[in-house]
Amino acid sequence: MRIVWSSQANYTFYRTRNYLLQYRNNEIAQKFANEVLRIIDLISINPYLGKFRPDLECNEIIISKYTSLYYIINPNFIHLIRFYDNRQRPLTILDF
């Protein structure tokens, strides 16, 4: 299934990766990017792999201990909404 990145997903992905580059190291940032690509490949094959969040009206899948990916399943594509740092306050419908 085709994957479509929202501008928010693109922004939050690069913000997380750049944070890891700046405060951790290149190896950890690359590991994060590889894991994101792996998860996106998995949900493109099986979109229902993530957990549906009725409060947010989208699916959630864990990328790492600290990062989740939110996405919507459409008939012809998967729309990536955003990456989220799980250490922040919980997401609400108003945050989308």
Side-chain angles (χ1 to χ4, degrees):
M1 191 174 283
R2 188 168 62 99
I3 302 292
V4 175
W5 289 63
S6 70
S7 58
Q8 183 72 15
N10 197 40
Y11 172 76
T12 54
F13 168 77
Y14 283 107
R15 184 182 67 186
T16 303
R17 188 187 62 100
N18 291 341
Y19 174 85
L20 294 172
L21 280 171
Q22 183 176 1
Y23 293 104
R24 301 294 181 198
N25 60 45
N26 187 42
E27 183 179 331
I28 292 174
Q30 187 61 48
K31 184 178 177 184
F32 169 75
N34 290 340
E35 187 63 14
V36 166
L37 293 175
R38 188 181 76 79
I39 294 293
I40 289 172
D41 283 343
L42 287 174
I43 63 172
S44 71
I45 295 166
N46 182 3
Y48 298 98
L49 194 59
K51 177 179 81 170
F52 182 73
R53 294 273 310 263
D55 57 331
L56 301 175
E57 300 175 356
C58 68
N59 289 58
E60 172 188 30
I61 192 163
I62 305 296
I63 300 292
S64 70
K65 182 164 94 171
Y66 301 118
T67 310
S68 295
L69 168 60
Y70 293 89
Y71 63 97
I72 295 174
I73 303 167
N74 291 305
N76 299 320
F77 62 94
I78 297 171
H79 187 204
L80 303 183
I81 300 171
R82 74 183 299 176
F83 292 86
Y84 187 74
D85 185 337
N86 297 324
R87 297 169 289 183
Q88 299 175 13
R89 64 179 170 73
L91 278 175
T92 64
I93 194 69
L94 301 175
D95 293 330
F96 285 112

